[in-house]
mmCIF file with all atom_site columns, all heavy atoms in Angstrom:
data_model
loop_
_atom_site.group_PDB
_atom_site.id
_atom_site.type_symbol
_atom_site.label_atom_id
_atom_site.label_alt_id
_atom_site.label_comp_id
_atom_site.label_asym_id
_atom_site.label_entity_id
_atom_site.label_seq_id
_atom_site.pdbx_PDB_ins_code
_atom_site.Cartn_x
_atom_site.Cartn_y
_atom_site.Cartn_z
_atom_site.occupancy
_atom_site.B_iso_or_equiv
_atom_site.pdbx_formal_charge
_atom_site.auth_seq_id
_atom_site.auth_comp_id
_atom_site.auth_asym_id
_atom_site.auth_atom_id
_atom_site.pdbx_PDB_model_num
ATOM 1   N N   . TYR A 1 1  ? -246.170 156.027 -54.247 1.00 81.00 ? 250 TYR A N   1
ATOM 2   C CA  . TYR A 1 1  ? -244.947 156.810 -54.330 1.00 81.00 ? 250 TYR A CA  1
ATOM 3   C C   . TYR A 1 1  ? -245.206 158.277 -54.657 1.00 81.00 ? 250 TYR A C   1
ATOM 4   O O   . TYR A 1 1  ? -246.295 158.691 -55.053 1.00 81.00 ? 250 TYR A O   1
ATOM 5   C CB  . TYR A 1 1  ? -243.994 156.207 -55.362 1.00 81.00 ? 250 TYR A CB  1
ATOM 6   C CG  . TYR A 1 1  ? -244.439 156.330 -56.796 1.00 81.00 ? 250 TYR A CG  1
ATOM 7   C CD1 . TYR A 1 1  ? -244.127 157.458 -57.541 1.00 81.00 ? 250 TYR A CD1 1
ATOM 8   C CD2 . TYR A 1 1  ? -245.173 155.321 -57.393 1.00 81.00 ? 250 TYR A CD2 1
ATOM 9   C CE1 . TYR A 1 1  ? -244.539 157.578 -58.863 1.00 81.00 ? 250 TYR A CE1 1
ATOM 10  C CE2 . TYR A 1 1  ? -245.585 155.431 -58.708 1.00 81.00 ? 250 TYR A CE2 1
ATOM 11  C CZ  . TYR A 1 1  ? -245.265 156.561 -59.444 1.00 81.00 ? 250 TYR A CZ  1
ATOM 12  O OH  . TYR A 1 1  ? -245.680 156.683 -60.739 1.00 81.00 ? 250 TYR A OH  1
ATOM 13  N N   . MET A 1 2  ? -244.160 159.065 -54.478 1.00 85.00 ? 251 MET A N   1
ATOM 14  C CA  . MET A 1 2  ? -244.192 160.493 -54.760 1.00 85.00 ? 251 MET A CA  1
ATOM 15  C C   . MET A 1 2  ? -242.863 160.867 -55.400 1.00 85.00 ? 251 MET A C   1
ATOM 16  O O   . MET A 1 2  ? -241.800 160.461 -54.913 1.00 85.00 ? 251 MET A O   1
ATOM 17  C CB  . MET A 1 2  ? -244.422 161.290 -53.471 1.00 85.00 ? 251 MET A CB  1
ATOM 18  C CG  . MET A 1 2  ? -244.585 162.789 -53.669 1.00 85.00 ? 251 MET A CG  1
ATOM 19  S SD  . MET A 1 2  ? -244.845 163.668 -52.085 1.00 85.00 ? 251 MET A SD  1
ATOM 20  C CE  . MET A 1 2  ? -246.467 163.041 -51.632 1.00 85.00 ? 251 MET A CE  1
ATOM 21  N N   . VAL A 1 3  ? -242.923 161.608 -56.503 1.00 84.00 ? 252 VAL A N   1
ATOM 22  C CA  . VAL A 1 3  ? -241.706 162.019 -57.193 1.00 84.00 ? 252 VAL A CA  1
ATOM 23  C C   . VAL A 1 3  ? -241.344 163.439 -56.788 1.00 84.00 ? 252 VAL A C   1
ATOM 24  O O   . VAL A 1 3  ? -242.120 164.153 -56.142 1.00 84.00 ? 252 VAL A O   1
ATOM 25  C CB  . VAL A 1 3  ? -241.866 161.910 -58.720 1.00 84.00 ? 252 VAL A CB  1
ATOM 26  C CG1 . VAL A 1 3  ? -242.059 160.462 -59.136 1.00 84.00 ? 252 VAL A CG1 1
ATOM 27  C CG2 . VAL A 1 3  ? -243.033 162.767 -59.195 1.00 84.00 ? 252 VAL A CG2 1
ATOM 28  N N   . ALA A 1 4  ? -240.162 163.878 -57.194 1.00 83.00 ? 253 ALA A N   1
ATOM 29  C CA  . ALA A 1 4  ? -239.612 165.154 -56.745 1.00 83.00 ? 253 ALA A CA  1
ATOM 30  C C   . ALA A 1 4  ? -240.546 166.324 -57.010 1.00 83.00 ? 253 ALA A C   1
ATOM 31  O O   . ALA A 1 4  ? -240.687 167.220 -56.169 1.00 83.00 ? 253 ALA A O   1
ATOM 32  C CB  . ALA A 1 4  ? -238.250 165.379 -57.400 1.00 83.00 ? 253 ALA A CB  1
ATOM 33  N N   . ASP A 1 5  ? -241.202 166.341 -58.181 1.00 81.00 ? 254 ASP A N   1
ATOM 34  C CA  . ASP A 1 5  ? -242.074 167.460 -58.532 1.00 81.00 ? 254 ASP A CA  1
ATOM 35  C C   . ASP A 1 5  ? -243.282 167.584 -57.609 1.00 81.00 ? 254 ASP A C   1
ATOM 36  O O   . ASP A 1 5  ? -243.903 168.647 -57.519 1.00 81.00 ? 254 ASP A O   1
ATOM 37  C CB  . ASP A 1 5  ? -242.565 167.319 -59.978 1.00 81.00 ? 254 ASP A CB  1
ATOM 38  C CG  . ASP A 1 5  ? -241.448 167.516 -60.984 1.00 81.00 ? 254 ASP A CG  1
ATOM 39  O OD1 . ASP A 1 5  ? -240.398 168.054 -60.596 1.00 81.00 ? 254 ASP A OD1 1
ATOM 40  O OD2 . ASP A 1 5  ? -241.622 167.116 -62.152 1.00 81.00 ? 254 ASP A OD2 1
ATOM 41  N N   . GLN A 1 6  ? -243.638 166.494 -56.932 1.00 83.00 ? 255 GLN A N   1
ATOM 42  C CA  . GLN A 1 6  ? -244.809 166.506 -56.057 1.00 83.00 ? 255 GLN A CA  1
ATOM 43  C C   . GLN A 1 6  ? -244.456 166.844 -54.615 1.00 83.00 ? 255 GLN A C   1
ATOM 44  O O   . GLN A 1 6  ? -245.340 167.049 -53.793 1.00 83.00 ? 255 GLN A O   1
ATOM 45  C CB  . GLN A 1 6  ? -245.502 165.140 -56.095 1.00 83.00 ? 255 GLN A CB  1
ATOM 46  C CG  . GLN A 1 6  ? -246.003 164.730 -57.462 1.00 83.00 ? 255 GLN A CG  1
ATOM 47  C CD  . GLN A 1 6  ? -246.479 163.280 -57.470 1.00 83.00 ? 255 GLN A CD  1
ATOM 48  O OE1 . GLN A 1 6  ? -245.692 162.357 -57.301 1.00 83.00 ? 255 GLN A OE1 1
ATOM 49  N NE2 . GLN A 1 6  ? -247.764 163.085 -57.666 1.00 83.00 ? 255 GLN A NE2 1
ATOM 50  N N   . ILE A 1 7  ? -243.170 166.879 -54.295 1.00 84.00 ? 256 ILE A N   1
ATOM 51  C CA  . ILE A 1 7  ? -242.731 167.084 -52.915 1.00 84.00 ? 256 ILE A CA  1
ATOM 52  C C   . ILE A 1 7  ? -242.696 168.580 -52.606 1.00 84.00 ? 256 ILE A C   1
ATOM 53  O O   . ILE A 1 7  ? -242.061 169.351 -53.319 1.00 84.00 ? 256 ILE A O   1
ATOM 54  C CB  . ILE A 1 7  ? -241.338 166.458 -52.694 1.00 84.00 ? 256 ILE A CB  1
ATOM 55  C CG1 . ILE A 1 7  ? -241.410 164.948 -52.918 1.00 84.00 ? 256 ILE A CG1 1
ATOM 56  C CG2 . ILE A 1 7  ? -240.826 166.763 -51.293 1.00 84.00 ? 256 ILE A CG2 1
ATOM 57  C CD1 . ILE A 1 7  ? -240.059 164.258 -52.943 1.00 84.00 ? 256 ILE A CD1 1
ATOM 58  N N   . PRO A 1 8  ? -243.383 169.028 -51.554 1.00 85.00 ? 257 PRO A N   1
ATOM 59  C CA  . PRO A 1 8  ? -243.381 170.449 -51.201 1.00 85.00 ? 257 PRO A CA  1
ATOM 60  C C   . PRO A 1 8  ? -241.963 170.970 -50.968 1.00 85.00 ? 257 PRO A C   1
ATOM 61  O O   . PRO A 1 8  ? -241.152 170.320 -50.306 1.00 85.00 ? 257 PRO A O   1
ATOM 62  C CB  . PRO A 1 8  ? -244.206 170.492 -49.905 1.00 85.00 ? 257 PRO A CB  1
ATOM 63  C CG  . PRO A 1 8  ? -245.075 169.272 -49.974 1.00 85.00 ? 257 PRO A CG  1
ATOM 64  C CD  . PRO A 1 8  ? -244.250 168.230 -50.664 1.00 85.00 ? 257 PRO A CD  1
ATOM 65  N N   . SER A 1 9  ? -241.682 172.142 -51.507 1.00 86.00 ? 258 SER A N   1
ATOM 66  C CA  . SER A 1 9  ? -240.327 172.697 -51.434 1.00 86.00 ? 258 SER A CA  1
ATOM 67  C C   . SER A 1 9  ? -239.903 173.015 -50.008 1.00 86.00 ? 258 SER A C   1
ATOM 68  O O   . SER A 1 9  ? -238.705 172.997 -49.692 1.00 86.00 ? 258 SER A O   1
ATOM 69  C CB  . SER A 1 9  ? -240.229 173.959 -52.295 1.00 86.00 ? 258 SER A CB  1
ATOM 70  O OG  . SER A 1 9  ? -241.186 174.925 -51.871 1.00 86.00 ? 258 SER A OG  1
ATOM 71  N N   . ASN A 1 10 ? -240.867 173.282 -49.121 1.00 89.00 ? 259 ASN A N   1
ATOM 72  C CA  . ASN A 1 10 ? -240.505 173.638 -47.748 1.00 89.00 ? 259 ASN A CA  1
ATOM 73  C C   . ASN A 1 10 ? -239.989 172.441 -46.944 1.00 89.00 ? 259 ASN A C   1
ATOM 74  O O   . ASN A 1 10 ? -239.459 172.608 -45.841 1.00 89.00 ? 259 ASN A O   1
ATOM 75  C CB  . ASN A 1 10 ? -241.712 174.253 -47.027 1.00 89.00 ? 259 ASN A CB  1
ATOM 76  C CG  . ASN A 1 10 ? -242.858 173.261 -46.854 1.00 89.00 ? 259 ASN A CG  1
ATOM 77  O OD1 . ASN A 1 10 ? -243.315 172.657 -47.829 1.00 89.00 ? 259 ASN A OD1 1
ATOM 78  N ND2 . ASN A 1 10 ? -243.325 173.094 -45.640 1.00 89.00 ? 259 ASN A ND2 1
ATOM 79  N N   . LEU A 1 11 ? -240.122 171.234 -47.513 1.00 90.00 ? 260 LEU A N   1
ATOM 80  C CA  . LEU A 1 11 ? -239.617 170.042 -46.825 1.00 90.00 ? 260 LEU A CA  1
ATOM 81  C C   . LEU A 1 11 ? -238.220 169.656 -47.297 1.00 90.00 ? 260 LEU A C   1
ATOM 82  O O   . LEU A 1 11 ? -237.569 168.812 -46.685 1.00 90.00 ? 260 LEU A O   1
ATOM 83  C CB  . LEU A 1 11 ? -240.572 168.863 -47.052 1.00 90.00 ? 260 LEU A CB  1
ATOM 84  C CG  . LEU A 1 11 ? -241.992 169.044 -46.504 1.00 90.00 ? 260 LEU A CG  1
ATOM 85  C CD1 . LEU A 1 11 ? -242.871 167.879 -46.910 1.00 90.00 ? 260 LEU A CD1 1
ATOM 86  C CD2 . LEU A 1 11 ? -241.958 169.175 -44.987 1.00 90.00 ? 260 LEU A CD2 1
ATOM 87  N N   . ARG A 1 12 ? -237.770 170.273 -48.367 1.00 90.00 ? 261 ARG A N   1
ATOM 88  C CA  . ARG A 1 12 ? -236.443 169.970 -48.911 1.00 90.00 ? 261 ARG A CA  1
ATOM 89  C C   . ARG A 1 12 ? -235.359 170.388 -47.932 1.00 90.00 ? 261 ARG A C   1
ATOM 90  O O   . ARG A 1 12 ? -235.401 171.488 -47.368 1.00 90.00 ? 261 ARG A O   1
ATOM 91  C CB  . ARG A 1 12 ? -236.242 170.700 -50.239 1.00 90.00 ? 261 ARG A CB  1
ATOM 92  C CG  . ARG A 1 12 ? -237.056 170.123 -51.372 1.00 90.00 ? 261 ARG A CG  1
ATOM 93  C CD  . ARG A 1 12 ? -236.381 168.896 -51.919 1.00 90.00 ? 261 ARG A CD  1
ATOM 94  N NE  . ARG A 1 12 ? -237.148 168.272 -52.984 1.00 90.00 ? 261 ARG A NE  1
ATOM 95  C CZ  . ARG A 1 12 ? -236.779 167.150 -53.554 1.00 90.00 ? 261 ARG A CZ  1
ATOM 96  N NH1 . ARG A 1 12 ? -235.686 166.526 -53.169 1.00 90.00 ? 261 ARG A NH1 1
ATOM 97  N NH2 . ARG A 1 12 ? -237.511 166.612 -54.498 1.00 90.00 ? 261 ARG A NH2 1
ATOM 98  N N   . GLY A 1 13 ? -234.401 169.497 -47.745 1.00 92.00 ? 262 GLY A N   1
ATOM 99  C CA  . GLY A 1 13 ? -233.273 169.801 -46.869 1.00 92.00 ? 262 GLY A CA  1
ATOM 100 C C   . GLY A 1 13 ? -233.571 169.660 -45.396 1.00 92.00 ? 262 GLY A C   1
ATOM 101 O O   . GLY A 1 13 ? -232.711 169.956 -44.559 1.00 92.00 ? 262 GLY A O   1
ATOM 102 N N   . LYS A 1 14 ? -234.759 169.186 -45.037 1.00 93.00 ? 263 LYS A N   1
ATOM 103 C CA  . LYS A 1 14 ? -235.159 169.063 -43.633 1.00 93.00 ? 263 LYS A CA  1
ATOM 104 C C   . LYS A 1 14 ? -235.132 167.605 -43.179 1.00 93.00 ? 263 LYS A C   1
ATOM 105 O O   . LYS A 1 14 ? -235.124 166.669 -43.988 1.00 93.00 ? 263 LYS A O   1
ATOM 106 C CB  . LYS A 1 14 ? -236.572 169.625 -43.452 1.00 93.00 ? 263 LYS A CB  1
ATOM 107 C CG  . LYS A 1 14 ? -236.748 171.064 -43.925 1.00 93.00 ? 263 LYS A CG  1
ATOM 108 C CD  . LYS A 1 14 ? -235.958 172.036 -43.088 1.00 93.00 ? 263 LYS A CD  1
ATOM 109 C CE  . LYS A 1 14 ? -236.135 173.463 -43.598 1.00 93.00 ? 263 LYS A CE  1
ATOM 110 N NZ  . LYS A 1 14 ? -237.517 173.923 -43.567 1.00 93.00 ? 263 LYS A NZ  1
ATOM 111 N N   . ALA A 1 15 ? -235.126 167.437 -41.863 1.00 95.00 ? 264 ALA A N   1
ATOM 112 C CA  . ALA A 1 15 ? -235.253 166.097 -41.279 1.00 95.00 ? 264 ALA A CA  1
ATOM 113 C C   . ALA A 1 15 ? -236.726 165.700 -41.338 1.00 95.00 ? 264 ALA A C   1
ATOM 114 O O   . ALA A 1 15 ? -237.593 166.420 -40.823 1.00 95.00 ? 264 ALA A O   1
ATOM 115 C CB  . ALA A 1 15 ? -234.751 166.087 -39.847 1.00 95.00 ? 264 ALA A CB  1
ATOM 116 N N   . THR A 1 16 ? -237.015 164.580 -41.978 1.00 95.00 ? 265 THR A N   1
ATOM 117 C CA  . THR A 1 16 ? -238.411 164.217 -42.218 1.00 95.00 ? 265 THR A CA  1
ATOM 118 C C   . THR A 1 16 ? -238.660 162.728 -41.978 1.00 95.00 ? 265 THR A C   1
ATOM 119 O O   . THR A 1 16 ? -237.733 161.913 -41.913 1.00 95.00 ? 265 THR A O   1
ATOM 120 C CB  . THR A 1 16 ? -238.830 164.525 -43.675 1.00 95.00 ? 265 THR A CB  1
ATOM 121 O OG1 . THR A 1 16 ? -237.980 163.797 -44.563 1.00 95.00 ? 265 THR A OG1 1
ATOM 122 C CG2 . THR A 1 16 ? -238.720 166.004 -43.970 1.00 95.00 ? 265 THR A CG2 1
ATOM 123 N N   . GLN A 1 17 ? -239.929 162.405 -41.869 1.00 95.00 ? 266 GLN A N   1
ATOM 124 C CA  . GLN A 1 17 ? -240.380 161.019 -41.931 1.00 95.00 ? 266 GLN A CA  1
ATOM 125 C C   . GLN A 1 17 ? -241.485 160.939 -42.976 1.00 95.00 ? 266 GLN A C   1
ATOM 126 O O   . GLN A 1 17 ? -242.275 161.870 -43.133 1.00 95.00 ? 266 GLN A O   1
ATOM 127 C CB  . GLN A 1 17 ? -240.871 160.504 -40.577 1.00 95.00 ? 266 GLN A CB  1
ATOM 128 C CG  . GLN A 1 17 ? -242.202 161.063 -40.118 1.00 95.00 ? 266 GLN A CG  1
ATOM 129 C CD  . GLN A 1 17 ? -242.876 160.196 -39.068 1.00 95.00 ? 266 GLN A CD  1
ATOM 130 O OE1 . GLN A 1 17 ? -242.767 158.965 -39.091 1.00 95.00 ? 266 GLN A OE1 1
ATOM 131 N NE2 . GLN A 1 17 ? -243.573 160.831 -38.133 1.00 95.00 ? 266 GLN A NE2 1
ATOM 132 N N   . ILE A 1 18 ? -241.518 159.812 -43.669 1.00 94.00 ? 267 ILE A N   1
ATOM 133 C CA  . ILE A 1 18 ? -242.531 159.578 -44.705 1.00 94.00 ? 267 ILE A CA  1
ATOM 134 C C   . ILE A 1 18 ? -243.313 158.338 -44.311 1.00 94.00 ? 267 ILE A C   1
ATOM 135 O O   . ILE A 1 18 ? -242.720 157.311 -43.963 1.00 94.00 ? 267 ILE A O   1
ATOM 136 C CB  . ILE A 1 18 ? -241.890 159.397 -46.096 1.00 94.00 ? 267 ILE A CB  1
ATOM 137 C CG1 . ILE A 1 18 ? -241.122 160.666 -46.490 1.00 94.00 ? 267 ILE A CG1 1
ATOM 138 C CG2 . ILE A 1 18 ? -242.940 159.104 -47.136 1.00 94.00 ? 267 ILE A CG2 1
ATOM 139 C CD1 . ILE A 1 18 ? -239.650 160.608 -46.241 1.00 94.00 ? 267 ILE A CD1 1
ATOM 140 N N   . ARG A 1 19 ? -244.626 158.434 -44.361 1.00 93.00 ? 268 ARG A N   1
ATOM 141 C CA  . ARG A 1 19 ? -245.489 157.311 -43.987 1.00 93.00 ? 268 ARG A CA  1
ATOM 142 C C   . ARG A 1 19 ? -246.733 157.318 -44.846 1.00 93.00 ? 268 ARG A C   1
ATOM 143 O O   . ARG A 1 19 ? -247.004 158.279 -45.572 1.00 93.00 ? 268 ARG A O   1
ATOM 144 C CB  . ARG A 1 19 ? -245.877 157.414 -42.503 1.00 93.00 ? 268 ARG A CB  1
ATOM 145 C CG  . ARG A 1 19 ? -246.688 158.669 -42.192 1.00 93.00 ? 268 ARG A CG  1
ATOM 146 C CD  . ARG A 1 19 ? -247.116 158.727 -40.741 1.00 93.00 ? 268 ARG A CD  1
ATOM 147 N NE  . ARG A 1 19 ? -247.867 159.944 -40.453 1.00 93.00 ? 268 ARG A NE  1
ATOM 148 C CZ  . ARG A 1 19 ? -249.165 160.088 -40.675 1.00 93.00 ? 268 ARG A CZ  1
ATOM 149 N NH1 . ARG A 1 19 ? -249.878 159.083 -41.193 1.00 93.00 ? 268 ARG A NH1 1
ATOM 150 N NH2 . ARG A 1 19 ? -249.787 161.217 -40.387 1.00 93.00 ? 268 ARG A NH2 1
ATOM 151 N N   . LEU A 1 20 ? -247.515 156.247 -44.739 1.00 90.00 ? 269 LEU A N   1
ATOM 152 C CA  . LEU A 1 20 ? -248.818 156.193 -45.395 1.00 90.00 ? 269 LEU A CA  1
ATOM 153 C C   . LEU A 1 20 ? -249.875 156.747 -44.452 1.00 90.00 ? 269 LEU A C   1
ATOM 154 O O   . LEU A 1 20 ? -249.948 156.347 -43.289 1.00 90.00 ? 269 LEU A O   1
ATOM 155 C CB  . LEU A 1 20 ? -249.175 154.762 -45.788 1.00 90.00 ? 269 LEU A CB  1
ATOM 156 C CG  . LEU A 1 20 ? -248.594 154.212 -47.088 1.00 90.00 ? 269 LEU A CG  1
ATOM 157 C CD1 . LEU A 1 20 ? -249.144 152.818 -47.350 1.00 90.00 ? 269 LEU A CD1 1
ATOM 158 C CD2 . LEU A 1 20 ? -248.892 155.116 -48.267 1.00 90.00 ? 269 LEU A CD2 1
ATOM 159 N N   . SER A 1 21 ? -250.685 157.666 -44.953 1.00 88.00 ? 270 SER A N   1
ATOM 160 C CA  . SER A 1 21 ? -251.771 158.213 -44.139 1.00 88.00 ? 270 SER A CA  1
ATOM 161 C C   . SER A 1 21 ? -252.953 157.249 -44.132 1.00 88.00 ? 270 SER A C   1
ATOM 162 O O   . SER A 1 21 ? -252.938 156.210 -44.804 1.00 88.00 ? 270 SER A O   1
ATOM 163 C CB  . SER A 1 21 ? -252.199 159.576 -44.694 1.00 88.00 ? 270 SER A CB  1
ATOM 164 O OG  . SER A 1 21 ? -252.652 159.437 -46.027 1.00 88.00 ? 270 SER A OG  1
ATOM 165 N N   . ASP A 1 22 ? -253.986 157.609 -43.379 1.00 85.00 ? 271 ASP A N   1
ATOM 166 C CA  . ASP A 1 22 ? -255.159 156.734 -43.268 1.00 85.00 ? 271 ASP A CA  1
ATOM 167 C C   . ASP A 1 22 ? -255.879 156.539 -44.596 1.00 85.00 ? 271 ASP A C   1
ATOM 168 O O   . ASP A 1 22 ? -256.560 155.531 -44.798 1.00 85.00 ? 271 ASP A O   1
ATOM 169 C CB  . ASP A 1 22 ? -256.146 157.312 -42.241 1.00 85.00 ? 271 ASP A CB  1
ATOM 170 C CG  . ASP A 1 22 ? -255.595 157.268 -40.820 1.00 85.00 ? 271 ASP A CG  1
ATOM 171 O OD1 . ASP A 1 22 ? -254.689 156.446 -40.577 1.00 85.00 ? 271 ASP A OD1 1
ATOM 172 O OD2 . ASP A 1 22 ? -256.063 158.053 -39.969 1.00 85.00 ? 271 ASP A OD2 1
ATOM 173 N N   . ASP A 1 23 ? -255.737 157.525 -45.515 1.00 81.00 ? 272 ASP A N   1
ATOM 174 C CA  . ASP A 1 23 ? -256.379 157.389 -46.821 1.00 81.00 ? 272 ASP A CA  1
ATOM 175 C C   . ASP A 1 23 ? -255.433 156.805 -47.867 1.00 81.00 ? 272 ASP A C   1
ATOM 176 O O   . ASP A 1 23 ? -255.668 156.926 -49.066 1.00 81.00 ? 272 ASP A O   1
ATOM 177 C CB  . ASP A 1 23 ? -256.919 158.739 -47.303 1.00 81.00 ? 272 ASP A CB  1
ATOM 178 C CG  . ASP A 1 23 ? -255.836 159.802 -47.400 1.00 81.00 ? 272 ASP A CG  1
ATOM 179 O OD1 . ASP A 1 23 ? -254.670 159.505 -47.060 1.00 81.00 ? 272 ASP A OD1 1
ATOM 180 O OD2 . ASP A 1 23 ? -256.150 160.940 -47.805 1.00 81.00 ? 272 ASP A OD2 1
ATOM 181 N N   . SER A 1 24 ? -254.347 156.166 -47.398 1.00 80.00 ? 273 SER A N   1
ATOM 182 C CA  . SER A 1 24 ? -253.393 155.456 -48.254 1.00 80.00 ? 273 SER A CA  1
ATOM 183 C C   . SER A 1 24 ? -252.628 156.374 -49.199 1.00 80.00 ? 273 SER A C   1
ATOM 184 O O   . SER A 1 24 ? -252.181 155.938 -50.259 1.00 80.00 ? 273 SER A O   1
ATOM 185 C CB  . SER A 1 24 ? -254.093 154.343 -49.055 1.00 80.00 ? 273 SER A CB  1
ATOM 186 O OG  . SER A 1 24 ? -254.639 153.380 -48.190 1.00 80.00 ? 273 SER A OG  1
ATOM 187 N N   . ASN A 1 25 ? -252.467 157.637 -48.828 1.00 85.00 ? 274 ASN A N   1
ATOM 188 C CA  . ASN A 1 25 ? -251.604 158.553 -49.546 1.00 85.00 ? 274 ASN A CA  1
ATOM 189 C C   . ASN A 1 25 ? -250.329 158.775 -48.743 1.00 85.00 ? 274 ASN A C   1
ATOM 190 O O   . ASN A 1 25 ? -250.303 158.582 -47.529 1.00 85.00 ? 274 ASN A O   1
ATOM 191 C CB  . ASN A 1 25 ? -252.296 159.901 -49.794 1.00 85.00 ? 274 ASN A CB  1
ATOM 192 C CG  . ASN A 1 25 ? -253.437 159.782 -50.778 1.00 85.00 ? 274 ASN A CG  1
ATOM 193 O OD1 . ASN A 1 25 ? -253.307 159.124 -51.816 1.00 85.00 ? 274 ASN A OD1 1
ATOM 194 N ND2 . ASN A 1 25 ? -254.570 160.405 -50.468 1.00 85.00 ? 274 ASN A ND2 1
ATOM 195 N N   . LEU A 1 26 ? -249.268 159.208 -49.419 1.00 89.00 ? 275 LEU A N   1
ATOM 196 C CA  . LEU A 1 26 ? -248.027 159.475 -48.710 1.00 89.00 ? 275 LEU A CA  1
ATOM 197 C C   . LEU A 1 26 ? -248.122 160.768 -47.927 1.00 89.00 ? 275 LEU A C   1
ATOM 198 O O   . LEU A 1 26 ? -248.605 161.786 -48.428 1.00 89.00 ? 275 LEU A O   1
ATOM 199 C CB  . LEU A 1 26 ? -246.852 159.565 -49.683 1.00 89.00 ? 275 LEU A CB  1
ATOM 200 C CG  . LEU A 1 26 ? -246.240 158.247 -50.177 1.00 89.00 ? 275 LEU A CG  1
ATOM 201 C CD1 . LEU A 1 26 ? -244.983 158.533 -50.977 1.00 89.00 ? 275 LEU A CD1 1
ATOM 202 C CD2 . LEU A 1 26 ? -245.924 157.305 -49.035 1.00 89.00 ? 275 LEU A CD2 1
ATOM 203 N N   . ALA A 1 27 ? -247.640 160.730 -46.689 1.00 90.00 ? 276 ALA A N   1
ATOM 204 C CA  . ALA A 1 27 ? -247.573 161.924 -45.848 1.00 90.00 ? 276 ALA A CA  1
ATOM 205 C C   . ALA A 1 27 ? -246.112 162.145 -45.484 1.00 90.00 ? 276 ALA A C   1
ATOM 206 O O   . ALA A 1 27 ? -245.435 161.228 -45.014 1.00 90.00 ? 276 ALA A O   1
ATOM 207 C CB  . ALA A 1 27 ? -248.412 161.740 -44.590 1.00 90.00 ? 276 ALA A CB  1
ATOM 208 N N   . ILE A 1 28 ? -245.624 163.364 -45.703 1.00 91.00 ? 277 ILE A N   1
ATOM 209 C CA  . ILE A 1 28 ? -244.245 163.730 -45.352 1.00 91.00 ? 277 ILE A CA  1
ATOM 210 C C   . ILE A 1 28 ? -244.301 164.731 -44.221 1.00 91.00 ? 277 ILE A C   1
ATOM 211 O O   . ILE A 1 28 ? -244.934 165.789 -44.340 1.00 91.00 ? 277 ILE A O   1
ATOM 212 C CB  . ILE A 1 28 ? -243.496 164.319 -46.572 1.00 91.00 ? 277 ILE A CB  1
ATOM 213 C CG1 . ILE A 1 28 ? -243.546 163.357 -47.746 1.00 91.00 ? 277 ILE A CG1 1
ATOM 214 C CG2 . ILE A 1 28 ? -242.051 164.631 -46.196 1.00 91.00 ? 277 ILE A CG2 1
ATOM 215 C CD1 . ILE A 1 28 ? -242.885 163.892 -48.994 1.00 91.00 ? 277 ILE A CD1 1
ATOM 216 N N   . GLU A 1 29 ? -243.649 164.415 -43.108 1.00 92.00 ? 278 GLU A N   1
ATOM 217 C CA  . GLU A 1 29 ? -243.736 165.236 -41.904 1.00 92.00 ? 278 GLU A CA  1
ATOM 218 C C   . GLU A 1 29 ? -242.344 165.622 -41.429 1.00 92.00 ? 278 GLU A C   1
ATOM 219 O O   . GLU A 1 29 ? -241.400 164.827 -41.521 1.00 92.00 ? 278 GLU A O   1
ATOM 220 C CB  . GLU A 1 29 ? -244.476 164.475 -40.794 1.00 92.00 ? 278 GLU A CB  1
ATOM 221 C CG  . GLU A 1 29 ? -245.875 164.044 -41.188 1.00 92.00 ? 278 GLU A CG  1
ATOM 222 C CD  . GLU A 1 29 ? -246.497 163.033 -40.220 1.00 92.00 ? 278 GLU A CD  1
ATOM 223 O OE1 . GLU A 1 29 ? -245.711 162.415 -39.461 1.00 92.00 ? 278 GLU A OE1 1
ATOM 224 O OE2 . GLU A 1 29 ? -247.711 162.866 -40.261 1.00 92.00 ? 278 GLU A OE2 1
ATOM 225 N N   . LEU A 1 30 ? -242.236 166.837 -40.891 1.00 92.00 ? 279 LEU A N   1
ATOM 226 C CA  . LEU A 1 30 ? -240.976 167.278 -40.310 1.00 92.00 ? 279 LEU A CA  1
ATOM 227 C C   . LEU A 1 30 ? -240.759 166.582 -38.978 1.00 92.00 ? 279 LEU A C   1
ATOM 228 O O   . LEU A 1 30 ? -241.698 166.389 -38.191 1.00 92.00 ? 279 LEU A O   1
ATOM 229 C CB  . LEU A 1 30 ? -240.994 168.797 -40.104 1.00 92.00 ? 279 LEU A CB  1
ATOM 230 C CG  . LEU A 1 30 ? -241.004 169.668 -41.370 1.00 92.00 ? 279 LEU A CG  1
ATOM 231 C CD1 . LEU A 1 30 ? -241.142 171.129 -41.000 1.00 92.00 ? 279 LEU A CD1 1
ATOM 232 C CD2 . LEU A 1 30 ? -239.717 169.443 -42.172 1.00 92.00 ? 279 LEU A CD2 1
#
């Protein structure tokens, strides 16, 4: 998981998808 403080501000308010990357970390993409 990822909490609000860890989420990049440039992704706020945008249309996004969240998935697990190959290294098992969360990836947030526009």
Side-chain angles (χ1 to χ4, degrees):
Y250 69 87
M251 185 180 292
V252 295
D254 291 344
Q255 299 171 294
I256 298 171
S258 58
N259 65 306
L260 298 174
R261 288 280 178 184
K263 304 294 179 60
T265 59
Q266 72 160 326
I267 299 98
R268 63 177 179 84
L269 278 184
S270 60
D271 292 338
D272 58 358
S273 298
N274 291 316
L275 280 188
I277 305 177
E278 302 167 341
L279 292 175

